[in-house]
Amino acid sequence: MQPKENHCPLCGGENYCLAGTEQQYSCWCMTAKVPKELLKLVPHNMKGKLCICENCIEQYKANLQE
């Protein structure tokens, strides 16, 4: 299965990334702080190619606080 650019490599949901579009510099992902541990969960063939969605980032951070 080929991953879609606009989908999160972790959950498969929409990542709402604007990179590669005219609005790329206003994309939320340009300022997002993604924990290194979460980045390690991205499959090797998708690293550096797909953005993790905000929902996965927030859920990960929430789980750390529990």
Side-chain angles (χ1 to χ4, degrees):
M1 183 174 106
Q2 190 71 355
K4 295 182 179 180
E5 289 181 11
N6 60 345
H7 286 78
C8 175
L10 299 179
C11 72
E14 177 72 45
N15 63 19
Y16 301 104
C17 180
L18 297 175
T21 70
E22 292 177 11
Q23 301 158 348
Q24 67 184 0
Y25 299 110
S26 64
C27 186
W28 70 269
C29 73
M30 301 303 256
T31 58
K33 293 187 182 356
V34 183
K36 290 179 185 179
E37 295 80 13
L38 188 59
L39 289 172
K40 290 178 185 178
L41 300 176
V42 176
H44 182 70
N45 66 325
M46 297 180 193
K47 287 187 186 285
K49 297 178 183 173
L50 301 173
C51 288
I52 297 171
C53 70
E54 286 182 284
N55 188 48
C56 282
I57 295 169
E58 293 306 318
Q59 283 186 354
Y60 182 84
K61 289 177 180 178
N63 287 338
L64 287 178
Q65 295 177 0
E66 291 180 354

